[in-house]
Amino acid sequence: MPRATLDAIRELTPAIMPSILSCDFGDMKSEVTRLTDAGAQALHLDVMDGHFVPNLTFGMPMVSGLRRHTDLPLDVHLMISEPLRYAKPMVQAGADVLTFHVEAVEDAAFVAKEFRKLGVGVGVALDSDTKLTDLEPCLDFVDMVLVMSVKAGFGGQSFNPISLEKLRLLRDNHPELLLQIDGGMNTETIVLARDAGCDLFVVGSSIIHSDDYSEAFAELDQAIKSATATRGVKA
Ligand code: DX5
Ligand code: ZN
């Protein structure tokens, strides 16, 4: 079932995936409604363990809580030291796509294959200061690469253009992979990312800190459409 969701996500591209990281955690039901009304077609959930990254967010109870309130695909970004330990509980909680960090594991190909057995879409994330070649051993076993355009751990940071070169190389060499970018997205950086061949755009503060989620969403959507290159996964 979740892998069918992955095919649906592929059809949605290019697509904005709002990150709930900067939402009001005391009112998540309303936040999900606001994001859905604004046009969200999937939600990005940032799980942080205070160990792999110096910040703590939430675990399975938030994922299952959101699952009760929405049918949107849940894209879970695991910024945790032991992704394999929590993979199955995350899928049981309702994750459709599960992304682990290549820096967190010894054998990324093994982890990707184990995630696959759970029936979810599998992503591997690359932090902003990690080199692209570190991904090579696992690329045959993942559906998506998440290229971090900030250092993983916090919302509201500035975009690092090193991500663009990584996206270009991945797009050129792996036309079948879904490419996702995360961090510092705004109406300018999202165009650069689309031009570099990106498919999925994680956006936190540009939407959540705006007065009007719909307006922010529409402006970002318009910016994606204004990109000159459209070298996405479907192109
Ligand atoms: C950062 C998270 C992001 C974060 C992005 O480690 O992975 O998903 O929410 O937030 P903005 O868009 O504010 O950079
Ligand atoms: Zn994220």
Side-chain angles (χ1 to χ4, degrees):
M1 166 62 183
R3 285 197 70 85
T5 310
L6 184 78
D7 292 336
I9 290 173
R10 213 172 259 274
E11 284 310 306
L12 292 174
T13 62
I16 295 165
M17 290 181 148
S19 159
I20 65 156
L21 184 62
S22 302
C23 283
D24 176 359
F25 283 8
D27 197 9
M28 284 310 297
K29 193 176 170 187
S30 312
E31 291 278 33
V32 170
T33 303
R34 286 177 74 193
L35 288 168
T36 309
D37 291 348
Q41 290 169 304
L43 297 177
H44 179 88
L45 313 183
D46 289 303
V47 176
M48 306 188 193
D49 65 355
H51 185 259
F52 177 68
V53 289
N55 196 5
L56 267 176
T57 55
F58 51 79
M60 285 72 78
M62 174 69 99
V63 179
S64 57
L66 291 169
R67 183 77 293 164
R68 283 206 311 279
H69 295 300
T70 182
D71 292 329
L72 291 179
L74 299 179
D75 169 42
V76 177
H77 177 189
L78 297 174
M79 284 165 271
I80 64 177
S81 294
E82 292 189 73
L84 264 183
R85 182 168 172 185
Y86 297 100
K88 191 169 178 194
M90 280 292 174
V91 175
Q92 286 168 338
D96 295 292
V97 179
L98 207 52
T99 297
F100 67 95
H101 265 265
V102 69
E103 305 84 7
V105 300
E106 294 262 310
D107 185 345
F110 176 74
V111 174
K113 285 187 242 178
E114 291 296 305
F115 274 30
R116 274 245 161 109
K117 288 183 192 164
L118 299 171
V120 274
V122 179
V124 63
L126 186 72
D127 215 339
S128 53
D129 51 11
T130 306
K131 52 188 193 312
L132 198 52
T133 47
D134 288 8
L135 288 181
E136 266 160 25
C138 71
L139 287 180
D140 284 345
F141 311 105
V142 300
D143 306 294
M144 180 178 88
V145 175
L146 189 178
V147 175
M148 291 302 300
S149 36
V150 297
K151 182 87 184 131
F154 295 91
Q157 303 179 73
S158 300
F159 177 78
N160 184 338
I162 201 162
S163 54
L164 297 173
E165 187 54 23
K166 292 175 182 173
L167 286 169
R168 275 187 217 106
L169 286 165
L170 285 164
R171 182 79 294 148
D172 285 347
N173 297 321
H174 301 277
E176 75 295 346
L177 277 179
L178 275 168
L179 300 183
Q180 184 179 51
I181 191 164
D182 185 359
M185 287 287 102
N186 56 41
T187 50
E188 286 166 20
T189 54
I190 209 165
V191 181
L192 304 176
R194 180 59 180 160
D195 277 338
C198 195
D199 305 298
L200 298 166
F201 309 84
V202 176
V203 183
S205 25
S206 290
I207 293 174
I208 309 301
H209 291 162
S210 71
D211 295 331
D212 183 335
Y213 288 4
S214 297
E215 203 177 293
F217 215 94
E219 283 172 8
L220 289 158
D221 215 29
Q222 200 47 49
I224 292 175
K225 291 195 175 84
S226 78
T228 48
T230 51
R231 305 187 310 143
V233 70
K234 284 192 296 183

